[in-house]
């Protein structure tokens, strides 16, 4: 069981959340105008990424809000989450998938001191 | 015999507390601080059980949780616990235990004949013997095996004890309360970090409890006491003795079992939990679990009285027990010399048999100075004794360790302590996905590359056995862990003075040669005592091709059982490595899995049992249902009245069928009342609410007038029906939605999902109001008259038509009355705030007396709706059914460009021929009720497989239609109405059925106006 960061409530146990699959899959604006293939892609096709994955979560057992998050699918570490409609944050290029954004903030603050 | 093996001047026991206990019916005494094992040894009891497969006499091998042998049945009746390791059972007054796997007694065990025919029980014996026929497995073979290869017996009654669970968060979790763990906890605790220090033993101190080491010139246990006192003063530090950290999961989530009252015995007051299951989320984890001694694999190394060297030392020093008078210490290393010296000092006659030709360490010198006989370059090659060891034969062995180079010499002994070096406890490290490294100098696996959650290890668990190094590692790791968790500067406390450990090298002989070659003669070289696996079994497995460690484990059962191979795994790997002529790390290790030691199911369950296992939901009218004699049905978590059986004056109670027939008839004749409170209810508000409903339902909602209701089907994006219900427009920007009872939460989640993620621009808000409204549904020809008795609202069909809603008062309570019907008859769904539900129900029941009111439950509701062909989502649909498959095109708006699921209607699979469609079924025999789920076929064959065209989804006897009725999903069913098909049943009967329309009763729909 890993930890999930709710943009409203902070880091909480995974058991409080429900998973909503890959993020940023917009519903086609005019489904009547697209092919079966395109509609099928919208419903079924997912990237199944190894590495950084943008995905949707909902804080079911608490605030009930849906949000997006970046999780490393190898380590299950969540880098950060962001509210619906916001741009995805960018983890550092050399992110090892082991630390989260808040660890990095702490390290950066430590370095300033 | 009264503790005749007890030493008067040693041991950490409270001798003022004498405890009486019973083992195998015999009464003994011990002291507070004893374990069952130490108390048995103090009383001279060495034989404690019989082995798993061969029923050989077995004794106590260790002094800790690694014990493979001394498994006992603790207590009796509902509290009985099988396979309990005597070495970890803290003694309490009145304890009762018995030996296992023996009959009629541990001394005379009938099945010990298995020893004589041991040749018939090699590795893989079960697989080879119990092969054919396969159909014999469960009825025949399994019973034989289970009876013969028994361990303890499970309790048959409910567990009378209570268990607790605790969720904890800490900055630093320290696992293990030996010197390294205490040092780590001190270093971390002093920074102000929140620290949990857990140790499985009754007392903190680890190996120091068995030792005479000095720290800063004082007894080490003084340092332990001082350190624990300091930790106790630190507000953020929690010390958990008798707590085994059993599992290490992702994100530093660890589980631990705290034995709260086990050491006090069964408690009368179940408000005190027997055990507490901790779920700990730690920022950093320090693993200081110590090391476990490895046994030597020599001939007949399993007789009672043969034990690990360090265990003997623990019994002498910690428990004040010298369990024998003549001790042989058989070793490949220096550490066992401490045991020899302490046994000698305690008064035993001691012989050391050392595999090494020229041992030279200071401990060797010390033993020589004490005039302890040391047989160098020698090995124990045979042991003797029926119920306990009485002696052994030793001989010199060759340089390659494979053969004897001298005649054997007999040494009498009643204790044979042995040591093959040490295995650091790397279990949790490995559970946390850490890698293990083979240390060729120390001949053991040590923590290698850390897993993703970066635990750190300290102490002998890293292969460091020097006390000073253990302490400084503990201090350093504790300080670093606290700093990583955001506490302290990382400054490492100064390590106190200790005497450095100087030890000579070990000599590894993984299989000690016997008088005959391995596998010949009667001698057995056990490497896994719990599973009765011997070295020759590993050779057999290798010969048969089970070379990989995972295959070896499963074929021989090495490393399974309650001890999970704590003493056996590395020996097995090493022997396999020798056979394969490979290095040990090439053979690999098995994966360590949780739990580290067995944990009680009750503790995992915690408080979630009995009425707390599932939270029962009951409606506001529940007390009335109980009074009215309802039989309840579980619908989701709800308790709903299923039917209301009546009892005649002569005391005969209706069966379910009788009650349902009566209820079905009476509802349509007069009036019936159903508690419909459990239906999901969602209040939807906002200026875009109507547009939002247009998206989530297939029909149009913006055209609905306030005060009017409409039925809706909800689809997923695949175009499949997933919920239905009636939604009412209360105002322009306000709707009241109902869902299925089971689908309420799912539907609200679905609506929230779309409103938050896809259409955040829409102003629409959803709130569950399921529990805010109590709903009495009255239906039947007399419904209007009944309602008129308790309300002044206008009920004439012109003012209050079908599919309309009125607000007013009913029986004095504020109410929303919906004129909607799930029976096809005139019906009113009377919604009142839940607090008035019981009152209104009772008022309607009273008023109903003059209208022939009948209470009915879910079963009658199902029959009545089936008579009308109304579907139940989830029963007549299964997630692959479109509205068109249900013959409900009428509910799919042709005017809307889009709604959820619409595009999928035009996918090739959704519009193809041959889809299963909902139809009615009439059986040839009008009294025959088809079983739900039965398959419908065109061509009946003598036996399956047959090509199935579909299945029965709903099936009842309908008194109002006067025959059985059924609904079914059948391929191309709508086109095939009128066709006759067959339903072959399990018992061989084939029922002919005719496909019909889904409406069986009141096809014109005339009755809905009353």
């Amino acid at each position: 069981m890993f930890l999930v960061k709710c943009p409203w409530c902070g880091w909480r146990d995974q058991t409080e959340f429900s998973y909503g699959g890959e993020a940023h899959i917009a519903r086609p604006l005019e489904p009547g105008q697209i092919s079966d293939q395109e509609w099928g892609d919208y419903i079924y096709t997912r990237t199944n990424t190894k590495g950084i994955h943008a995905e949707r979560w909902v804080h079911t057992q608490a605030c009930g809000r849906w949000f997006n998050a970046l999780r490393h699918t190898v380590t299950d570490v969540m880098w950060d989450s962001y509210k619906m409609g916001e741009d995805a944050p960018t983890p550092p290029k050399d992110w090892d998938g082991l630390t989260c954004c808040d660890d990095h903030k702490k390290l950066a603050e430590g370095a300033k001191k | 015999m009264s503790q005749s093996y007890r030493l008067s001047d040693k041991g950490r026991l409270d001798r003022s507390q004498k405890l009486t206990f019973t083992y195998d019916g015999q009464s003994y005494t011990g002291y507070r601080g004893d374990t069952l094992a130490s108390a048995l040894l103090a009383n001279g009891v060495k034989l404690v059980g019989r082995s798993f497969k061969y029923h050989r006499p077995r004794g106590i091998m260790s002094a800790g949780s690694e014990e493979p042998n001394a498994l006992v049945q603790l207590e009796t009746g509902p509290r009985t616990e099988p396979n309990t390791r005597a070495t970890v059972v803290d003694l309490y007054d009145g304890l009762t235990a018995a030996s296992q796997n023996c009959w009629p007694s541990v001394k005379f065990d009938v099945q010990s004949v298995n020893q004589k025919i041991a040749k018939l029980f090699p590795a893989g014996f079960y697989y080879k013997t119990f092969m054919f026929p396969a159909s014999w497995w469960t009825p025949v073979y399994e019973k034989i095996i289970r009876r013969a290869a028994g361990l303890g017996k499970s309790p048959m009654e409910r567990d009378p004890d209570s268990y607790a669970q605790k969720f904890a968060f800490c900055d630093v979790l320290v696992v293990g309360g030996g010197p390294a763990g205490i040092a780590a906890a001190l270093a971390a605790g002093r920074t102000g970090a929140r620290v949990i220090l857990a140790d499985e033993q009754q007392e903190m101190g680890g190996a120091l409890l068995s030792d005479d080491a000095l720290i800063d010139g004082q007894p080490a246990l003084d340092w332990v006491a001082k350190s624990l006192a300091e930790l106790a003063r630190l507000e953020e530090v929690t010390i958990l003795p008798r707590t085994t950290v059993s599992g290490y999961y992702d994100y530093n989530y660890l589980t631990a079992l705290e034995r709260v009252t086990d050491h006090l015995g069964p408690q009368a007051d179940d408000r005190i939990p027997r055990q507490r299951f901790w779920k700990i989320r730690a920022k950093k984890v320090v693993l200081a679990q110590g090391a476990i001694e490895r046994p030597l694999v020599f001939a007949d190394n399993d007789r009672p009285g043969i034990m690990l060297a360090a265990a003997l030392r623990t019994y002498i020093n910690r428990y004040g027990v010298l369990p024998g008078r003549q001790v042989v210490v058989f070793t490949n290393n220096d550490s066992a010399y401490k045991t020899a010296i302490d046994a000698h000092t305690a008064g035993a006659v001691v012989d050391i048999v050392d595999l090494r030709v020229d041992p030279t360490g200071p401990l060797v010198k010390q033993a020589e100075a004490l005039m302890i006989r040391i047989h160098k370059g020698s090995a124990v090659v045979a042991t003797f004794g029926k119920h306990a060891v009485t002696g052994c034969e030793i001989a010199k062995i060759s340089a390659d360790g494979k053969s004897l180079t001298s005649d054997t010499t007999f040494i009498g002994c009643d204790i044979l302590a042995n040591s093959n070096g040490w295995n650091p406890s790397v279990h949790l490290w490995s559970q946390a996905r850490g890698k293990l490294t083979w240390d060729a100098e120390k001949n053991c696996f040590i923590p290698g590359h850390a897993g993703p959650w970066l635990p750190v290890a300290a102490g002998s668990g890293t292969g460091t056995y020097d006390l000073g190094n253990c302490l400084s590692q503990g201090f350093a790791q504790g300080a670093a862990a606290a700093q990583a968790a955001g506490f302290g500067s990382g400054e490492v406390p100064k390590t106190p003075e200790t005497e450095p450990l100087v030890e000579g090298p070990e000599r590894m002989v993984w299989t000690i040669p016997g008088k005959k070659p391995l596998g010949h003669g009667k001698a057995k070289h056990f490497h896994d005592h719990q599973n009765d696996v011997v070295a020759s079994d590993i050779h057999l497995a290798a010969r048969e091709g089970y070379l990989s460690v995972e295959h070896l484990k499963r074929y021989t059962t090495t490393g399974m059982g309650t001890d999970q191979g704590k003493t056996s795994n590395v020996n097995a790997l090493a022997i396999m490595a020798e056979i394969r002529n490979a290095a040990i790390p090439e053979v690999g290790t098995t994966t360590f899995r949780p739990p580290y030691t067995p944990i009680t199911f009750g503790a995992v369950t915690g408080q979630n049992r009995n009425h707390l296992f599932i939270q029962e939901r009951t409606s506001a009218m529940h007390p009335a249902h109980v009074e009215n004699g309802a039989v309840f049905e579980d619908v989701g978590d709800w308790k709903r009245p299923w039917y209301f059986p009546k009892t005649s004056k002569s005391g005969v109670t209706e069966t379910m069928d009788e009650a349902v027939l009566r209820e079905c008839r009476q509802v349509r004749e007069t009036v019936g009342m159903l508690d419909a409170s459990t239906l999901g209810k969602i209040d939807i508000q906002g200026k875009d609410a109507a547009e939002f409903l247009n998206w989530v339902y297939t029909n149009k909602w913006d055209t609905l007038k306030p005060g009017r209701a409409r039925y809706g089907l909800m689809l997923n994006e695949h175009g499949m029906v997933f919920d239905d219900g009636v939604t009412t427009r209360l105002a322009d920007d306000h709707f009241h939605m109902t869902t299925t009872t089971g689908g309420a939460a799912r539907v609200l989640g679905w609506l929230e999902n779309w409103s938050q993620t896809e259409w955040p621009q829409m102003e629409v808000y959803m709130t569950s109001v399921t529990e805010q409204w109590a709903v009495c549904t009255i239906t039947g020809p007399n419904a209007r008259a009944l309602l008129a008795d308790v309300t002044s609202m206008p009920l004439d069909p012109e003012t209050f038509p079908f599919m309309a809603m009125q607000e007013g008062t009913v029986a004095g309570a504020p109410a929303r009355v919906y004129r909607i019907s799930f029976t096809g008859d005139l019906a009113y769904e009377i919604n009142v705030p839940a607090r008035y539900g019981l009152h209104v129900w009772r008022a309607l029941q009273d008023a109903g007396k003059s209208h022939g009111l009948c209470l009915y439950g879910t079963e009658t509701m199902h029959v009545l709706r089936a008579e009308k062909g109304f579907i139940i989502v989830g029963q007549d649909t299964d997630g692959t059914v479109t509205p068109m498959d249900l013959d409900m095109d009428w509910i799919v708006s042709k005017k809307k460009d889009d709604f959820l699921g619409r595009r999928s209607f035009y996918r090739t699979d959704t519009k193809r021929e041959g889809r299963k469609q909902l139809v009615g079924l009439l059986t040839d025999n009008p009294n025959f009720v088809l079983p739900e789920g039965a398959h419908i076929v065109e061509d009946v064959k003598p036996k399956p497989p047959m090509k199935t065209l579909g299945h029965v989804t709903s099936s009842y006897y309908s008194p109002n239609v006067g025959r059985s009725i059924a609904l079914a999903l059948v391929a191309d069913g709508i086109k095939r109405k009128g066709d006759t098909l067959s339903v072959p049943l399990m018992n061989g009967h084939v029922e002919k059925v005719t496909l019909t329309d889904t409406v069986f009763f009141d096809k014109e729909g005339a009755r809905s106006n009353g």
Side-chain angles (χ1 to χ4, degrees):
Chain A
M1 257 184 299
F2 50 97
L3 295 174
V4 173
K5 184 184 183 182
C6 169
W8 282 270
C9 308
W11 290 98
R12 299 290 183 88
D13 200 285
Q14 184 198 338
T15 50
E16 295 183 14
F17 297 84
S18 305
Y19 182 62
E22 188 170 346
H24 308 301
I25 296 173
R27 190 172 191 276
L29 286 174
E30 294 192 27
Q33 305 301 311
I34 61 176
S35 67
D36 275 5
Q37 177 68 46
E38 288 166 302
W39 180 251
D41 282 350
Y42 157 65
I43 301 180
Y44 297 112
T45 311
R46 299 295 179 262
T47 54
N48 196 21
T49 308
K50 179 180 179 182
I52 301 169
H53 187 238
E55 58 196 22
R56 310 184 323 144
W57 287 86
V58 56
H59 202 175
T60 327
Q61 305 295 328
C63 68
R65 299 304 291 175
W66 280 89
F67 56 90
N68 292 325
L70 295 184
R71 179 178 59 100
H72 200 291
T73 56
V74 176
T75 61
D76 273 348
V77 169
M78 192 169 277
W79 168 255
D80 201 356
S81 61
Y82 49 106
K83 294 175 185 174
M84 284 292 158
E86 289 181 351
D87 290 336
T90 336
K93 281 215 169 59
D94 59 348
W95 183 39
D96 54 3
L98 292 176
T99 47
C100 69
C101 60
D102 295 339
D103 297 333
H104 280 246
K105 271 180 215 151
K106 247 184 254 160
L107 289 176
E109 278 162 24
K112 266 185 225 159
K113 278 176 202 165
Chain B
M1 255 189 310
S2 180
Q3 303 195 45
S4 47
Y5 290 83
R6 189 72 80 178
L7 299 167
S8 58
D9 57 340
K10 277 182 182 293
R12 300 181 57 75
L13 303 165
D14 179 356
R15 294 190 195 230
S16 68
Q17 290 197 62
K18 204 171 196 181
L19 308 173
T20 306
F21 69 101
T22 309
Y23 189 73
D24 272 345
Q26 179 114 19
S27 182
Y28 301 98
T29 59
Y31 296 116
R32 175 75 62 205
D34 262 325
T35 61
L36 175 58
S38 68
L40 285 171
L41 289 172
N43 286 285
V45 179
K46 287 204 191 101
L47 170 62
V48 295
R50 291 276 172 168
S51 71
F52 181 64
K53 195 158 84 176
Y54 302 123
H55 290 253
R56 284 170 68 111
R58 287 288 165 82
I60 293 158
M61 189 165 134
S62 75
S65 62
E66 70 271 31
E67 178 63 34
N69 253 355
L71 304 183
V72 301
Q73 185 89 28
L74 189 64
E75 295 302 332
T76 55
R79 284 200 165 88
T80 195
E81 194 170 335
N83 314 328
T84 313
R85 290 147 295 151
T87 50
V88 298
V89 175
D90 295 340
L91 195 68
Y92 52 85
D93 201 44
L95 179 148
T96 303
S99 49
Q100 296 185 165
N101 206 26
C102 51
W103 184 85
S105 79
V106 68
K107 285 205 170 139
F108 178 76
D109 173 32
V110 167
Q111 284 199 359
S112 60
V113 67
N114 285 9
Q115 293 174 64
K116 305 257 162 50
I117 53 170
K119 285 259 183 264
L120 301 178
F121 295 93
F125 158 72
Y126 298 141
Y127 308 121
K128 289 168 181 165
T129 310
F130 300 113
M131 279 177 73
F132 302 106
S135 60
W136 277 34
W137 245 111
T138 308
V140 182
Y141 294 145
E142 191 179 330
K143 282 190 184 130
I144 296 173
I145 293 168
R146 288 205 186 279
R147 194 164 47 224
L151 287 170
K153 289 191 173 58
S154 300
M156 301 303 285
E157 296 101 322
R158 290 177 77 87
D159 189 336
D161 290 312
S162 67
Y163 299 86
Q165 294 205 346
K166 184 159 173 130
F167 294 85
F169 298 83
C170 65
D171 298 304
V172 180
L173 170 64
V174 181
V175 183
I182 291 173
L186 275 176
R190 283 171 186 163
T191 66
R194 179 168 296 176
V195 176
I196 295 176
L197 171 64
D199 189 277
E200 64 177 347
Q201 305 231 24
Q202 53 181 321
E203 220 184 333
M204 297 278 168
L208 296 178
L209 296 167
S210 310
D211 206 48
D212 53 3
L214 301 177
I215 294 179
D216 276 344
Q218 301 296 315
L221 290 169
D222 289 357
W223 177 85
V224 170
K226 201 176 70 175
S227 303
L228 289 173
E230 182 184 343
L231 288 169
R233 283 194 302 274
L234 293 169
E235 201 178 336
E236 294 293 338
V237 175
T238 305
I239 304 172
L240 296 176
R242 298 190 181 90
T243 304
T244 307
V245 177
S246 55
Y248 193 143
Y249 304 90
D250 281 356
Y251 266 69
N252 283 342
Y253 181 72
L254 293 96
T255 54
L257 183 72
E258 180 187 4
R259 291 169 292 277
V260 183
T261 62
D262 278 0
H263 63 293
L264 302 172
Q267 298 292 297
D269 185 353
D270 74 355
R271 285 174 302 180
I272 305 164
R274 178 189 162 212
Q275 297 176 344
R276 184 176 287 126
F277 196 58
W278 289 71
K279 299 178 177 185
I280 303 168
R281 188 74 78 167
K283 285 195 182 134
K284 291 296 287 183
V285 177
V286 180
L287 298 175
Q289 294 172 276
I292 293 171
E293 198 170 30
R294 234 169 9 217
L296 283 159
V297 182
F298 56 100
D300 293 331
N301 56 341
D302 67 326
R303 296 185 201 279
I306 300 179
M307 59 171 62
L308 290 165
L312 175 59
R313 189 161 186 246
T314 293
Y315 287 118
I316 294 171
N317 293 332
R318 181 171 170 190
Y319 297 109
V321 180
L322 180 62
R325 313 291 186 220
Q326 282 180 291
V327 174
V328 167
V329 176
F330 179 23
T331 183
N332 75 336
N333 66 74
D334 283 3
S335 74
Y337 278 72
K338 291 185 187 170
T339 303
I341 292 163
D342 287 351
H344 171 87
T345 312
V349 177
V350 179
D351 282 81
I352 296 174
V353 181
D354 196 326
L355 284 167
R356 298 170 298 180
V357 179
D358 187 22
T360 52
L363 285 165
V364 180
K365 296 273 179 307
Q366 201 184 332
E368 278 169 344
L370 290 169
M371 310 293 283
I372 298 174
R373 269 178 312 225
I374 305 176
H375 309 269
K376 297 176 185 176
S378 297
V380 173
V381 296
T383 69
F384 305 94
K386 190 175 178 200
H387 291 146
V389 66
T390 54
C392 64
E393 282 181 335
I394 67 166
K396 300 256 183 217
I397 62 165
S398 59
D400 66 358
K402 303 271 189 225
S403 54
L404 313 190
T405 55
S406 75
D407 290 341
T408 62
T409 311
F410 179 85
I411 308 178
C413 65
D414 50 5
I415 288 290
L416 202 169
N418 69 102
S419 176
N420 191 21
W422 293 80
N423 288 328
S425 278
V426 291
H427 304 70
L428 292 179
W429 183 270
S430 171
Q431 282 184 27
R433 292 196 252 161
K435 297 273 181 287
L436 303 178
T437 304
W438 179 256
D439 185 322
E441 202 177 309
K442 290 168 182 157
N443 300 302
C444 60
F445 284 105
I446 56 170
H449 186 73
W453 323 113
L454 304 175
V456 290
S460 56
T462 66
T464 301
Y465 304 119
D466 175 83
L467 177 57
N469 288 342
C470 286
L471 289 169
S472 46
Q473 269 188 2
F475 281 127
Q477 299 290 30
Q483 193 189 20
F487 290 84
S489 60
E491 193 192 334
V492 181
K494 190 176 160 290
T495 304
E497 292 296 317
T498 56
E499 192 162 336
L501 176 74
V502 183
E503 282 186 328
E506 299 172 336
R507 179 185 179 189
M508 302 317 298
V509 182
W510 294 105
T511 310
I512 307 294
K515 290 194 285 184
K516 290 188 175 170
L518 203 62
H520 295 258
K522 283 185 191 158
K524 291 198 165 300
H525 291 63
F526 287 93
H527 70 273
D528 186 329
H529 290 64
Q530 182 161 115
N531 295 293
D532 262 0
V533 195
V534 295
S536 59
D537 288 331
I538 301 177
H539 287 260
L540 178 69
R543 281 200 301 278
E544 299 190 348
Y546 298 97
L547 295 169
S548 117
V549 59
E550 296 294 345
H551 289 158
L552 171 69
K553 175 176 171 167
R554 280 154 188 84
Y555 195 59
T556 63
T557 68
T558 292
M560 297 184 178
T562 59
D563 67 333
Q564 288 287 294
K566 291 185 178 63
T567 53
S568 62
N569 277 344
V570 173
N571 278 341
L573 288 176
I575 294 169
M576 181 56 98
E578 274 187 346
I579 296 168
R580 288 172 51 182
N581 202 15
I584 289 171
E586 283 174 45
V587 178
T589 56
T590 60
T591 309
F592 293 95
R593 292 189 181 88
Y596 176 68
T597 52
I599 52 180
T600 315
F601 280 128
V604 178
T605 309
Q607 298 94 335
N608 301 326
R609 56 184 205 156
N610 299 333
H611 66 287
L612 296 178
F613 177 59
I614 289 179
Q615 296 280 305
E616 275 178 16
R617 300 175 81 183
T618 54
S619 79
M621 289 80 101
H622 193 74
H625 303 332
V626 174
E627 285 163 23
N628 289 317
V631 175
F632 291 95
E633 180 188 26
D634 291 333
V635 182
D637 297 341
W638 290 98
K639 292 278 170 206
R640 295 194 72 179
W642 197 6
Y643 56 98
F644 291 87
K646 289 201 164 170
T647 304
S648 70
K649 277 183 190 140
S650 54
V652 181
T653 303
E654 286 176 317
T655 63
M656 175 169 166
D657 284 350
E658 289 163 353
V660 170
L661 282 180
R662 174 182 51 75
E663 291 172 11
C664 285
R665 274 200 204 99
Q666 203 179 335
V667 169
R668 296 223 191 269
E669 273 168 25
T670 53
V671 60
M673 182 158 68
L674 171 83
D675 179 358
S677 306
T678 63
L679 277 190
K681 295 179 275 296
I682 300 170
D683 193 79
I684 302 174
Q685 300 191 38
K687 73 175 170 60
D688 299 317
E691 189 198 344
F692 184 72
L693 291 180
N694 270 347
W695 276 104
V696 300
Y697 277 132
T698 59
N699 44 356
K700 265 180 90 67
W701 291 82
D702 49 339
T703 54
L704 187 69
K705 292 190 173 60
R708 291 305 169 106
R710 191 166 276 176
Y711 175 75
L713 278 185
M714 219 175 262
L715 312 184
N716 57 26
E717 283 282 58
H718 307 154
M720 305 301 160
V721 174
F722 91 93
D723 208 84
D724 69 345
V726 171
T727 293
T728 307
R729 192 166 202 167
L730 302 172
D732 276 345
D733 58 353
H734 193 183
F735 289 82
H736 175 83
M737 174 185 279
T738 64
T739 72
T740 56
T741 295
R746 190 167 54 236
V747 170
L748 182 60
W750 177 251
L751 302 181
E752 282 290 345
N753 181 353
W754 286 98
S755 100
Q756 288 184 37
T757 68
E758 195 68 30
W759 308 308
Q761 77 285 359
M762 281 195 209
E763 200 182 301
V764 58
Y765 309 95
M766 278 73 67
T767 306
S768 165
V769 291
T770 302
E771 301 203 333
Q772 278 63 37
W773 294 99
V775 183
C776 308
T777 295
I778 54 172
T779 182
N782 296 349
R784 187 174 287 128
L786 167 58
L787 184 54
D789 280 359
V790 290
T791 186
S792 56
M793 29 172 107
L795 300 177
D796 61 282
E798 289 69 39
T799 323
F800 194 12
F802 187 49
M803 298 307 271
M805 186 280 298
Q806 278 198 79
E807 286 188 277
T809 55
V810 172
R816 287 180 188 162
V817 180
Y818 300 81
R819 217 196 115 187
I820 52 184
S821 176
F822 195 41
T823 61
D825 262 279
L826 173 65
Y828 299 93
E829 296 199 353
I830 303 157
N831 285 236
V832 295
R835 61 188 178 281
Y836 301 123
L838 186 59
H839 160 76
V840 172
W841 179 274
R842 285 188 166 140
L844 285 161
Q845 220 185 315
D846 281 347
K849 281 175 189 154
S850 53
H851 299 282
L853 178 72
C854 148
L855 303 180
Y856 71 98
T858 50
E859 190 63 22
T860 293
M861 175 189 84
H862 282 161
V863 179
L864 297 177
R865 63 90 203 177
E867 290 174 349
K868 291 291 296 176
F870 296 153
I871 60 159
I872 290 187
V873 171
Q875 177 167 342
D876 301 301
T877 71
D878 62 1
T880 65
V881 179
T882 66
M884 283 66 79
D885 296 336
L886 295 170
D887 206 5
M888 288 170 79
D889 309 44
W890 54 269
I891 205 169
V892 177
S893 168
K894 310 295 179 289
K895 293 182 188 144
K896 291 197 290 186
D897 289 338
D898 198 7
F899 52 82
L900 295 182
R902 182 179 180 273
R903 175 61 183 81
S904 287
F905 293 165
Y906 312 106
R907 295 184 63 234
T908 43
D909 186 64
T910 332
K911 63 183 185 196
R912 72 178 161 84
E913 298 281 296
R915 287 186 62 83
K916 288 183 186 170
Q917 296 166 328
L918 190 74
V919 290
L921 288 186
L922 291 176
T923 48
D924 260 14
N925 173 357
N927 292 318
F928 188 83
V929 181
L930 295 165
E932 286 172 358
H935 282 265
I936 298 153
V937 304
E938 186 118 50
D939 303 313
V940 179
K941 292 183 183 159
K943 63 176 200 179
M946 286 173 254
K947 184 174 161 36
T948 173
L949 296 176
H951 66 276
V952 178
T953 60
S954 293
S955 175
Y956 312 93
Y957 184 81
S958 160
N960 298 312
V961 184
R963 56 158 301 134
S964 70
I965 56 170
L967 297 173
L969 286 167
V970 180
D972 273 335
I974 295 168
K975 269 199 301 203
R976 301 194 62 169
K977 281 179 190 172
D979 286 7
T980 299
L981 296 171
S982 298
V983 179
L985 300 177
M986 298 283 281
N987 63 8
H989 174 71
V990 178
E991 184 68 21
K992 293 272 183 205
V993 293
T994 307
L995 272 53
T996 68
D997 189 61
T998 53
V999 184
F1000 300 97
F1001 182 75
D1002 183 30
K1003 286 186 196 282
E1004 319 72 45
R1007 296 177 65 99
S1008 66
N1009 274 320

